[in-house]
């Protein structure tokens, strides 16, 4: 069998002018996971991230902390959906969502429901169907590129990883929404592939983090 580890990026810089970069805690989370993987003897054949800054920074942090002699590959198929686009298209706004993470999550889930309905596709740069098709293709590329006994690490974001998990659970939008809500920064989802196809064996494992380092945004 082959193994794919899907890693959510470390905590980004919510509430700042540049969200798309790791916060100091996000850097700590990335280093903690890299140290954990090194101690576990995990040596991936490849490591890939999406093209977003927080994803690339997390991947580089893993490489450095785990002391992997691996070059980072970039695959934009692993990029997160455009949350700003979804919120901008939503009919009502909540000014507190700019600084309150809980208010932001509530607004994002309402906007995501509108996005996924398919009734307003012209309002979005990427439709929900296009997003899920993109993630499906990225997951297939990553798994199909592995030989027997090989492993790979992919660094992505909560929405992407939640959809990959929902797909493997034969779930749909509601399953995706529930998984997306609880995905932890630097959490690891493990997928094995063999004769019976792709199987998710763990979701959102974050045992490498002290409890005070667990974050969701």
């Amino acid at each position: 069998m082959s193994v794919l580890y899907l890693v959510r990026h470390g905590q980004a810089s919510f509430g700042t002018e540049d969200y798309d970069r790791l916060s100091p805690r996000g850097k700590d989370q990335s280093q903690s996971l890299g140290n954990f993987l090194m101690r576990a003897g995990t040596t991936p054949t490849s490591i890939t991230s999406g093209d977003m800054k927080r994803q690339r920074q997390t991947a580089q942090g893993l490489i450095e902390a785990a002391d992997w002699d691996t070059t980072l590959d970039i695959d934009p198929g692993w990029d997160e959906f455009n949350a700003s686009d979804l919120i901008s298209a939503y009919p009502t706004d909540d000014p507190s969502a700019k600084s309150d993470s809980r208010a932001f999550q509530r607004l994002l889930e309402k906007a995501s429901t509108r996005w996924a309905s398919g009734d307003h596709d012209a309002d979005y740069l990427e439709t929900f169907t296009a997003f899920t098709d993109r993630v499906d293709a990225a997951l297939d590329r990553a798994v199909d590129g592995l030989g027997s006994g090989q492993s790979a690490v992919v660094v992505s974001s909560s929405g992407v990883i939640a959809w990959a998990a929902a797909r493997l659970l034969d779930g749909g939008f509601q399953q995706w929404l529930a998984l997306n809500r609880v995905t932890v920064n630097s959490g690891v989802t493990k997928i094995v592939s063999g004769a019976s196809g792709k199987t998710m064996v763990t979701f959102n494992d974050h045992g490498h983090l002290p409890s005070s380092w667990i974050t969701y945004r």
Side-chain angles (χ1 to χ4, degrees):
M1 290 194 298
S2 59
V3 180
L4 178 66
Y5 299 96
L6 295 183
V7 176
R8 187 190 177 191
H9 61 77
Q11 184 188 53
S13 298
F14 179 76
T16 71
E17 291 183 0
D18 183 10
Y19 171 77
D20 190 22
R21 59 187 172 87
L22 292 186
S23 68
R25 176 61 74 218
K27 294 177 182 177
D28 291 340
Q29 293 164 337
S30 302
Q31 183 173 34
S32 179
L33 178 56
N35 289 336
F36 175 83
L37 293 173
M38 179 177 63
R39 292 194 301 271
T42 303
T43 306
T45 305
S46 64
I47 179 165
T48 303
S49 81
D51 199 26
M52 306 180 105
K53 187 188 301 182
R54 60 190 184 272
Q55 298 169 342
R56 290 184 277 109
Q57 289 177 332
T58 299
Q60 291 291 357
L62 293 180
I63 291 171
E64 293 169 9
D67 197 26
W68 289 333
D69 183 18
T70 310
T71 300
L72 175 62
D73 296 319
I74 303 298
D75 181 352
W78 293 106
D79 286 359
E80 181 63 295
F81 65 90
N82 190 327
S84 296
D85 185 42
L86 270 60
I87 290 173
S88 296
Y90 194 66
T92 60
D93 191 18
D94 181 354
S96 66
K98 292 181 173 64
S99 57
D100 183 331
S101 61
R102 292 185 179 181
F104 177 84
Q105 185 64 33
R106 289 193 295 270
L107 179 58
L108 180 61
E109 291 192 9
K110 292 176 183 177
S112 296
T113 301
R114 182 180 189 271
W115 177 47
S117 71
D119 296 333
H120 312 278
D121 283 355
D123 293 348
Y124 303 104
L125 298 172
E126 181 180 47
T127 66
F128 182 72
T129 299
F131 165 71
T132 57
D133 285 349
R134 169 167 65 81
V135 176
D136 287 346
L139 178 61
D140 290 342
R141 280 195 302 274
V143 172
D144 293 346
L146 289 172
S148 178
Q150 292 184 330
S151 65
V153 171
V154 169
V155 179
S156 187
S157 296
S158 59
V160 175
I161 294 170
W163 179 255
R167 169 190 167 184
L168 295 175
L169 293 172
D170 292 326
F173 170 74
Q174 291 299 331
Q175 178 80 80
W176 173 76
L177 196 66
L179 295 174
N180 190 27
R181 187 181 298 135
V182 299
T183 307
V184 171
N185 291 118
S186 79
V188 182
T189 295
K190 182 178 178 180
I191 297 169
V192 298
S193 179
S196 59
K198 304 178 187 68
T199 304
M200 183 174 67
V201 294
T202 61
F203 172 72
N204 201 30
D205 183 6
H206 50 278
H208 57 283
L209 294 176
S211 59
S212 61
W213 288 14
I214 295 173
T215 59
Y216 297 89
R217 181 152 305 286

